Amino acid sequence: MPDVCTIAVTVGDSRKVVDWSRGCSFDFPELSCGKHAAKIEIFQRIGTAAVVIDARQGEPQPCKVVPEVPTANGLELQVTTRQRQLDADASKRCCSWGGNKQRRTSREGCGARASSIRTMDAVTLKDVTAPHLLVLTDAGEEVDDEGALWLLSKHLEASSCGRADVVFVTGKPLQRAMRWAQVLGSLGQAPKPGAKRIRYFLGPETARHMRYTSTPDLELLKAAGLGNIAESHFNGGDYDVVLQISPLSGFSDNYENPPDDITGALSRIVPRKGAATPLFLCVGDEGATNFPKDACHLGFKASLIKSGFTCVHAQQANYMNWDAAMLEKMPPKLVELILDDEWNKAVGRIPPFVASLFVRFRVNTAVNYDVIDRAYTAFQRSRQGDQYLKKANAWWSKIADEANKILDQGYVRKSRESDDQKGVQSFGSPQISERVKGMKMTWESIMSSACERDILASRGGSLDSLSSCSVDEILCNAVLLMTSKLLRIYAYNAFLMGREPDWTHCQLYLQGSEKTAPLDFRNFPLLHGDISTIQAAVVGNPMYDPVGMLLALVAMGSGPINIKKMADALSTNTPLLDKKKRVEAMMAAYAGEPPSKLALRYTPDAWAPTTQGDNSKTRKLLLLTDIGENADNEAALWLLCQQLGRHSNLHADIVLLSGSPHERALMRWAKIIAASSTDKRLPGLSSMVFYLGPEQKRDVEYFVEIDYHILEQAGMEDIPPFRGGAYDVILQTSPLDGFSSDFTPPASRRASRIHGVEHALSLIEKRPGASVPLHIVVGAEGSVNFPRTPVHLRFRSFLVERGFTTVFVDAANYVTWDADILGVLPSMLADLGMQDEWNKAVGRIRPSQFPLNVCFRVNTNFNYVVISRAFLTWQSRHRENPCLLKAEEWWRSSSEEVNRAIMYGYIKQMRDTDAMQGSSAYGNPAIEEKVKGQDSTWRSVISSDCVNDILEFFNETEAGLLKLSVDDVMCRAVTLMTGKLLTIFAFSVFVQGGNLDRRQYMPYILGNDSSAPLDFYMFPRMFGDMSEVKKLVVGNATQDFSGMLLAILVAVSQDADALGVAACLQMHSTLFGREKRQEVARRALEGEDVTQFLAAHGCIPDAPFKPAEPSTAKLVDLEDKSALHDGIIQAWF
């Protein structure tokens, strides 16, 4: 033990602290006899200091620290005391303090005094020897800001000193803070890197447009470590380095007599006492976006120079581009934001009226062009010979001429009009061989080689003929070629999903609308499925703000001589490192390299670097899953992972079924594993073994692309075929398509390999010693997972012969998605869950695939309730926003047209489908009549929410409602659901300053040749952040997850409890009440032992479990439709 230290012992609520002196004892007379948990803490005194505290003196006082350890040499604190006014009530509370608080005045005196008194509020201590950084950021504009803040967090986490103040400025600063809070919040309960060294503040609000908007959530802000930021307004401070990565609109330009409020805060920025070389670093040159040449910015710079700062700008010579390898060092949520932002930059052209013609020409023929060309080349190379790529190319060939015409008359013409309005500053449209007006370079020299190559290939001719083309001609050619690459990717995605590209959406993108420019990223047709691989291919734009942050951090850790060298190089736009070393430095910084080593990269002379147990007792679970259909699948696997870590005697085999199993392995689960590979929340991963089932043709719900690097990261690069095995519990969450219905056991396991994986089910056995062998199927018999086909019915018979009993999990035991469950899932999985829920909300049940009674019940009850209640909550949150009133007025004016379109499209398809059923058709009776073949009426199916809305919106009476036909009522219900969803969409457009265009939403309502009306695939792209809305529509059943929870309970419980759970499933009774079921699910996801909940909360039926006998497993009539329809309804939810 060190000679100088302190020992603290805490037992219960009692705590004793003594100085260490080669031994010490502690007395706790207040504790009763018996066992108590004690906590022992060891502290070391760093140093001591003395200071006079005077409440009347508000100025900071220096305070030298007398060191008691070598590391405290030179330590100095700054002490500040403040006074505050207390109102009368608070004064009385102050006067009544007793115990250890000194009584400041008498109770009688307080009552007779004026309404307030002055007291000492606080004594603030600040480590003034630690370097201090100020960051002025417009997070939420482009993801560069969030990338810079993550770099700062990682750096401060690795640093033994240093602190930072982050100020969100321009637009609505609290919304900007939300974007960063989402990144930190995605880390869950884990400590936030650098959190103790960062303070967050808000700057003044302005009218500046925001690229990405988010609804403020104070609870999320607090949970993310941003504290009570809504009340924290920036008021200046003392700093070593000031980093500006945003414009500063909203602050006062009066630096001589600044306002006392937040707008005058910039004038109160001064160098920290002891700062060797105070530095102001702005990303971008004077006159660029972050530093317009106005009184506010120029005055700010002059003020900093006057107070002692050296002012420099980071420019092109020190920039670098985003690299996909950097994303591996970042949290999944930040990666998602980066990919989205890079994709938006790729598909969105610089507006034709923004910046100058020179800038537009350079961006479209060089910067953007190279990024898109590189991405499309990789996309095309990996799909050589792909039938969908061939179809996409053929589709583009048909529309290329019309697209070219639209671009020439739209984007290029508007660009020309914008340039002509510049007057004498107009560049005109000369031949590209001529020099740019006012510059030494030619237009042709700006173009990238890839752009020149493609234009020559498309036009034919030689370089000489290209040189004679005008600026506007080349601009049109470049934009058309980029558009062709992007729309072919869209078309490929559509064909892969079994749909046709929608020309209406493409026209909207090409032409723009009243409030959106041509080729605006928000109008690009929505791609579906997992497109992260495509998005990653376009990663490569300049990363401005992280470069600025890296340079600021290097300056923070460097000495005065090297800071001066950096400033001199930056002021002349000289590169500090070559391109390769710049990227290496950024990669190292994101990996958390210590500050000393990071500084040495830029300034080498800167400063010196100060077993599984007894297999016979191991229980085994077999999961047959079509993972990749819904996030429910992955949530079930995540639950299994948590519980395997808790129960070392349980192991699991997972068989990937349906479609292309290898793609299902990658589809989403491998990415979740890879993203969480360093996370301690994957304790059971080593107890899971993955196998492939038979391949067969089945459309997958989400687009996926094989990425062998991710498979390797997840440990799933070499998955063997399934060969059977011995198990205690079999959980089936997928149909068994592709397996053989011949369950004759092969002569030997070797013979089974000859037959192939399709015969593997016949090699399943009961594990010797299995006490409750159970086959659990999610969904009712006749539903999607267990259709009445030979392979499924014979599989059940085969298992019964092997000693298993088949039971079905139904709605009585379903857990539903909710915010608490999403909150304990990893961020990537939670996002997938919310996206799946959103797709279910905006996508109506297809009339061509389900019977009329199912469609009616889903649309007037289940879906309606989820959407209606979500909409009411969303509406109440935005009631004060004028954009909501505007969206509601738009819907009232459009509802009649939408209602007619739904009747003509969706309802007509449903009617045609029902008419094809012949004698089994339900017809179109009044809803007061009984459903054909049932005792209940159509009216009894409709939810009260739906009834009330129909009566109010359509001015209907209850008696009149009963006389309406099934088609009329369903049309009105679907219209109202659609209206609620489109109102949310309209609101998102209006908030962003846009206007609605029929081309945005009518393709969704009408459908097309390959997409049914109201298909989620066609729902218009929402403007801004959708996370709030997605959370509100959460509430559907998690079938596979629920089945996994029950399967684990059977597998790991004692025999009596396992039999009780099996009996509960056999009788279709509820094991846990609804609220307790949700709680059990959440706590199980957090890794708690699921068996503890059975004794306390389980409702075990009195009737015993009855194992199945071989004679009871018979083939049933496959034409029995009533059970099939009930199963379909359960499967839909």
Side-chain angles (χ1 to χ4, degrees), residues 259-271:
D260 293 331
D261 62 11
I262 187 175
T263 62
L266 294 183
S267 64
R268 293 186 280 277
I269 295 175
V270 296

Side-chain angles (χ1 to χ4, degrees), residues 241 279 550-559 563 566:
V241 178
L279 188 69
L550 179 60
L551 295 175
L553 295 174
V554 169
M556 288 265 289
S558 299
I563 293 176
M566 285 181 62

Side-chain angles (χ1 to χ4, degrees), residues 21 76 115 120 139 223 441 542 559 579 637 660 788 851 960 1126:
S21 57
E76 180 179 330
S115 60
M120 181 181 293
M441 68 188 75
K579 182 178 179 180
L637 280 182
S660 173
R788 292 188 172 108
D1126 291 340

Side-chain angles (χ1 to χ4, degrees), residues 689-714:
V689 180
F690 288 87
Y691 297 94
L692 297 179
E695 291 218 12
Q696 47 86 42
K697 186 173 182 180
R698 179 187 173 193
D699 291 337
V700 295
E701 190 71 20
Y702 294 93
F703 165 75
V704 66
E705 184 175 5
I706 290 288
D707 187 328
Y708 291 100
H709 176 65
I710 291 179
L711 282 174
E712 185 177 359
Q713 278 187 298

Side-chain angles (χ1 to χ4, degrees), residues 15 126-127 219 263 273 524 618 638 734 746 785 809 875 925:
R15 178 182 173 91
K126 183 190 299 183
D127 178 6
E219 291 185 3
T263 62
K273 181 182 177 182
F524 189 81
T618 298
W638 189 261
S734 166
N785 290 337
V809 181
Q875 191 180 43

Side-chain angles (χ1 to χ4, degrees), residues 601-666:
R601 289 178 180 272
Y602 275 82
T603 52
D605 57 341
W607 35 277
T610 55
T611 68
Q612 297 182 355
D614 183 1
N615 288 333
S616 64
K617 297 180 180 180
T618 298
R619 301 182 180 186
K620 291 200 70 176
L621 183 150
L622 172 64
L623 172 63
L624 303 168
T625 176
D626 56 355
I627 181 172
E629 282 299 299
N630 293 286
D632 186 15
N633 307 115
E634 288 84 6
L637 280 182
W638 189 261
L639 172 63
L640 176 61
C641 208
Q642 303 305 308
Q643 292 300 312
L644 288 174
R646 169 68 65 173
H647 301 280
S648 59
N649 65 329
L650 178 63
H651 284 245
D653 289 349
I654 295 97
V655 184
L656 310 170
L657 303 178
S658 298
S660 173
H662 206 256
E663 288 187 5
R664 289 189 181 278
L666 168 69

